[in-house]
Amino acid sequence: DRALPATLELAQNHPNPFNSTTMIRYGLPTDGPVQQLAVYNLAGQRLATLVDGAHAAGTHAAQWNGTDDRGRDLASGVYVYRLVTPGRVETRRMVFLQ
């Protein structure tokens, strides 16, 4: 068995930059709610929600394909993804190239 993360972890997406899909890995030290893993533009507008709800402790992954919650293709550019849990927020940047 793999050891549980000691703290909340949000890894850099891979690949980055990407042009079709990218994987975002995150680790939770305890069972509980992941209030949200979402993608935002640089103006702070939420574009896509990747995870919303309770998860078991351990390492998880979410995939993003460069579309918004309605399935519309987004433009090339820099986006931010944010993991929100009770008491903690982690943010990283990624580059989408069409």
Side-chain angles (χ1 to χ4, degrees):
D1 284 31
R2 293 179 55 182
L4 291 177
T7 62
L8 179 71
E9 297 173 353
L10 179 60
Q12 185 64 51
N13 65 302
H14 183 78
N16 187 36
F18 71 101
N19 67 359
S20 59
T21 61
T22 190
M23 191 67 65
I24 299 169
R25 297 189 187 284
Y26 59 98
L28 304 173
T30 60
D31 294 349
V34 170
Q35 291 175 336
Q36 197 169 77
L37 174 59
V39 177
Y40 296 81
N41 62 21
L42 293 180
Q45 297 167 307
R46 188 177 68 235
L47 303 172
T49 302
L50 307 179
V51 175
D52 190 8
H55 274 68
T59 302
H60 304 275
Q63 186 173 293
W64 185 54
N65 62 1
T67 61
D68 68 11
D69 280 337
R70 295 181 179 173
R72 297 177 294 199
D73 291 334
L74 297 174
S76 295
V78 177
Y79 292 89
V80 173
Y81 57 100
R82 179 177 296 150
L83 179 64
V84 179
T85 63
R88 187 97 184 259
V89 176
E90 291 287 328
T91 304
R92 303 274 183 273
R93 288 181 177 221
M94 63 183 154
V95 178
F96 176 47
L97 301 174
Q98 284 205 20

